[in-house]
Amino acid sequence: MICVAIRAQEEEGPWQGSYFPVIQLDSVNVVASKQLTIDDLKKIITKDSSLIKSFWDMRNYDFASNNHIEAYDKKGRLAGTEKRNMEHFFIDSLLYHKTVSRDVQGKLYEKDGEAIYSALTLFNNVMKDDTFWINQVERSKAAHQEMLDEMSEKKLKRYEKKRAKQKEKFMGFPINRDSSDSEESRFKDLPFLDNKLAIFEPEMEKHYFFKMREGFSKYGDESYIFLAIPKKPKRDATVIKRLEVCIKKEDLSIIGYSLDALYNSILWDCDLKLDTNLKFVKEHYVPIDLLLDCEFDVILMPQERFVWKANAHDFKMNKDGLKGLSN
């Protein structure tokens, strides 16, 4: 579920007008007066791009993270924990990782270092150290600079002009919704799940209570809090069992997202909890903390549970994160 590609459209200049702030959401205008309605917040969530863009904006930074991992066996017993401190940085738009320290407790790995649990194997593949590729990139950059040094002034001007056009073409935020005015959910008609994630579609809305209140984000931003819960949570008509979205009052961008989902089928069962919160760092809102708690039971595989808690910190502006997007 967390690998689903979510398409959205960034709108420039969120505040339009001088007296009432107006948010342009594709074909929908929402006037942010004293109080928005539940329907207003549903439209904001459906059309929002700020949550996705916050992950994209992390390309502007090098940063560090503290990671706490827990693995549970098929009987629900804690098999072991791992604490991993890491550094992350972008080179030519690609993210690289470096493990600074690790502390493993319990039985998570075989003697040869292979992870015992499949979720931990997947995590290690995604977050593995990239020393080899970093060295490759550094060698490529050195070779590129050598090529530039050998160019004549005329060739160098032509080359720089061509690169400038490429940069202009690819520097834009590329995650776009369809250009049509359709209100259809981005989650509609997913494999295996049908429309069960599309909770704002008429066929799914009838299964939910929607609530809203005023409050604060985890990091103190004055916000609207939107909540969706099933009317009959024990029945399998719904996959999303709880959705809480924190929407900043100032510009109606999403700065907190919490999801509980439960899916059962003949081939696989999954119980998922996902939580992330955004904080303004230097020039952008970026994800600061993440909780992923996933218990799954796939046919012909042992049942297991994987918990990952991460906190990002020490953000530093970089020069290489948004380069090379044409590649």
Side-chain angles (χ1 to χ4, degrees):
M1 292 172 62
I2 61 173
C3 293
V4 172
I6 303 176
R7 296 172 298 162
Q9 178 175 333
E10 180 191 24
E11 298 291 345
E12 61 182 57
W15 297 116
Q16 307 291 335
S18 56
Y19 183 69
F20 287 110
V22 178
I23 312 306
Q24 182 70 35
L25 300 168
D26 291 349
S27 61
V28 180
N29 286 339
V30 177
V31 178
S33 56
K34 291 184 179 179
Q35 181 67 55
L36 297 184
T37 67
I38 287 179
D39 285 339
D40 292 333
L41 296 190
K42 285 159 61 177
K43 291 174 183 177
I44 291 168
I45 294 169
T46 302
K47 298 290 186 177
D48 181 77
S49 67
S50 55
L51 182 64
I52 306 162
K53 188 176 183 298
S54 68
F55 286 91
W56 174 265
D57 283 338
M58 292 189 84
R59 291 170 178 258
N60 292 285
Y61 303 96
D62 298 333
F63 59 97
S65 71
N66 300 324
N67 301 270
H68 179 81
I69 300 162
E70 298 174 357
Y72 296 79
D73 63 20
K74 61 183 180 181
K75 293 184 179 181
R77 298 173 301 195
L78 179 64
T81 63
E82 179 176 345
K83 294 181 181 179
R84 191 181 304 186
N85 297 322
M86 305 188 71
E87 293 178 352
H88 313 269
F89 46 97
F90 286 91
I91 300 177
D92 293 335
S93 81
L94 299 178
L95 177 62
Y96 294 89
H97 313 285
K98 178 183 178 181
T99 298
V100 178
S101 64
R102 292 177 64 192
D103 179 25
V104 180
Q105 301 291 331
K107 185 65 174 176
L108 296 183
Y109 297 93
E110 302 286 2
K111 291 182 179 180
D112 59 2
E114 289 294 320
I116 296 173
Y117 297 92
S118 56
L120 186 55
T121 299
L122 178 61
F123 177 84
N124 288 336
N125 287 338
V126 173
M127 304 291 285
K128 66 182 177 181
D129 288 354
D130 296 299
T131 306
F132 172 79
W133 295 110
I134 293 170
N135 291 337
Q136 287 285 87
V137 169
E138 292 300 329
R139 285 195 291 269
S140 296
K141 290 174 69 174
H144 180 256
Q145 185 60 49
E146 185 178 347
M147 178 191 72
L148 296 180
D149 293 340
E150 294 177 352
M151 282 186 180
S152 65
E153 185 176 348
K154 186 176 181 180
K155 286 185 177 181
L156 185 60
K157 286 183 179 180
R158 286 203 303 264
Y159 177 81
E160 290 177 346
K161 186 176 181 180
K162 182 179 179 181
R163 291 286 292 176
K165 288 183 178 179
Q166 290 178 335
K167 184 176 181 180
E168 182 179 355
K169 181 178 179 180
F170 290 101
M171 280 292 283
F173 181 54
I175 305 176
N176 297 310
R177 288 184 59 83
D178 295 334
S179 58
S180 66
D181 293 333
S182 172
E183 296 291 327
E184 190 172 274
S185 169
R186 65 190 69 169
F187 292 120
K188 196 168 184 180
D189 298 323
L190 292 174
F192 303 110
L193 294 169
D194 299 322
N195 296 331
K196 291 184 177 180
L197 294 186
I199 64 174
F200 300 138
E201 295 295 318
E203 62 268 33
M204 290 304 299
E205 274 189 326
K206 61 186 179 182
H207 296 293
Y208 286 88
F209 291 117
F210 299 110
K211 301 178 181 180
M212 65 172 288
R213 63 179 175 85
E214 297 184 24
F216 294 89
S217 72
K218 181 174 180 178
Y219 297 107
D221 296 289
E222 195 172 359
S223 305
Y224 295 105
I225 310 299
F226 175 88
L227 180 66
I229 54 175
K231 296 177 180 178
K232 298 179 179 179
K234 292 185 179 181
R235 299 185 61 180
D236 61 358
T238 60
V239 169
I240 294 177
K241 302 302 180 184
R242 177 181 169 275
L243 173 66
E244 183 173 316
V245 183
C246 182
I247 301 171
K248 187 180 178 182
K249 274 190 174 184
E250 182 181 349
D251 58 7
L252 301 185
S253 59
I254 291 180
I255 53 176
Y257 194 90
S258 181
L259 172 72
D260 293 355
L262 181 64
Y263 179 74
N264 297 311
S265 69
I266 297 175
L267 298 178
W268 59 285
D269 301 338
C270 180
D271 188 349
L272 173 73
K273 294 178 177 61
L274 175 67
D275 187 90
T276 187
N277 295 277
L278 311 185
K279 186 177 181 181
F280 192 78
V281 176
K282 299 185 183 295
E283 297 181 9
H284 306 89
Y285 270 96
V286 292
I288 292 294
D289 57 72
L290 173 72
L291 166 66
L292 175 63
D293 186 338
C294 186
E295 183 175 354
F296 54 93
D297 186 6
V298 181
I299 190 171
L300 302 180
M301 293 179 61
Q303 182 177 345
E304 60 182 73
R305 178 184 169 205
F306 178 78
V307 180
W308 173 30
K309 300 175 185 177
N311 177 264
H313 57 93
D314 289 348
F315 286 83
K316 300 176 182 177
M317 298 295 291
N318 68 45
K319 299 179 180 179
D320 296 320
L322 290 171
K323 292 181 179 179
L325 297 184
S326 59
N327 298 324

